[in-house]
Amino acid sequence: MSPTPLEELAARLQRLPGLTGKDDIQHPASVFPHQPFPQLGPAAALGDDAALLPPQGGALLLACEGLHPGLVERDPWFAGWCGVLVNLSDIAAMGGTPLAVVNSLWSRGGEPAEQLLSGMRAASETFAVPVVGGHTNLQSPYEALSVAVLGVAPGPILSARSARPGDSCHLLIQIDGGVLRRPDPFWDAATGADPAQLRAQLALLPLIAAEGLAHAAKDISMGGLIGTAAMLCEAAGCGLVLDLDAIEPPEGVELEEWITCFPSFGFLLASAPDQGQALRAVLEPHPELRCQPIGLFQEGQALELRRGDERVIVRTAATALTGFGALS
């Protein structure tokens, strides 16, 4: 018996992406099952077109990162992990606490998509920040990932624009337990670390803000320590002299690699010159972290490197980096 027109229509409809689950879908429940996150309640359950978040007190912070295509292709699990981690660092750098993650994934499907999603899930569980929604396209001709995080600042904001001449520049970073994931410039001290320790580390930035131990900060991102310092100078509208002799790379890592890599936990802090001892006191429960003065903010907008008696300027005010300079 020949199918009826309605049966033919149903057969065609069943092959459409919307019914096959191959396009325009949220993340597969097999990768992100409904997980209880007491701080969000039903918001952690996927299925709606937007995440329902409870009201928050304090300033909201929103961060977004697109992952480098080369990393997504070479190491999709780590790319998924980093997509969450780099955004959590952005929220922490402003003295905030992360609330929830969303993301957009483009993939040809199969193993790469599963690895990207699994990396994000691992970071979500490690840092106890839920993935509350997103978009998954499993019929893309390429692999790509973008991740965004919403956070809240319970107290004072650490803004990169708040650094000022006369401030000390402190490097807060984790060296212990890390490995440089060559050929990519990533210092990974997180994927094998204790989750409770990692969460406690990120919670240090809101504490530092609340105690007034720093008034400006920026997480060390893909630009490395030097690129991040340049972005900090541009945003603040001031210069910075960095003492390379004060920067100690991990054993087996050259200085150039160290100051151009992305660390899993690394921040530049701008503090009053007399806050060094108080900063170190806050970090006493964290022997895995180092916090040391590495430079001094100054007038102008030049980023200057110093080593012994030698000095060289690597960026001036005339060299636009992001284009987002200090507010007039």
Side-chain angles (χ1 to χ4, degrees), residues 124-244:
S124 167
E125 293 176 344
T126 295
F127 292 96
V129 183
V131 175
V132 297
H135 176 85
T136 304
N137 181 343
L138 298 181
Q139 291 187 326
S140 169
Y142 53 81
E143 314 294 323
L145 177 65
S146 175
V147 181
V149 174
L150 179 68
V152 60
I157 298 294
L158 296 174
S159 171
R161 297 183 182 277
S162 297
R164 49 185 179 258
D167 285 343
S168 293
C169 179
H170 281 78
L171 171 62
L172 172 60
I173 198 163
Q174 180 174 353
I175 291 181
D176 294 352
V179 61
L180 194 60
R181 298 176 70 112
R182 300 183 179 98
D184 294 307
F186 296 105
W187 178 254
D188 178 15
T191 55
D194 175 25
Q197 174 181 290
L198 296 176
R199 294 193 291 269
Q201 288 175 353
L202 284 182
L204 282 170
L205 277 301
L207 175 61
I208 287 171
E211 296 291 331
L213 303 180
H215 45 263
K218 202 162 184 65
D219 68 303
I220 300 175
S221 58
M222 285 300 297
L225 190 157
I226 298 301
T228 300
M231 289 187 284
L232 180 52
C233 288
E234 186 174 42
C238 60
L240 175 60
V241 177
L242 287 177
D243 182 5
L244 296 185

Side-chain angles (χ1 to χ4, degrees), residues 14 22 36 104 179 206 211 215 298 308:
Q14 288 170 349
K22 292 182 178 179
S104 293
V179 61
E211 296 291 331
H215 45 263
Q298 59 183 7

Side-chain angles (χ1 to χ4, degrees), residues 47-68:
D48 284 308
D49 291 330
L52 176 65
L53 301 181
Q56 301 294 324
L60 292 178
L61 303 170
L62 185 62
C64 180
E65 294 278 355
L67 277 293
H68 192 283

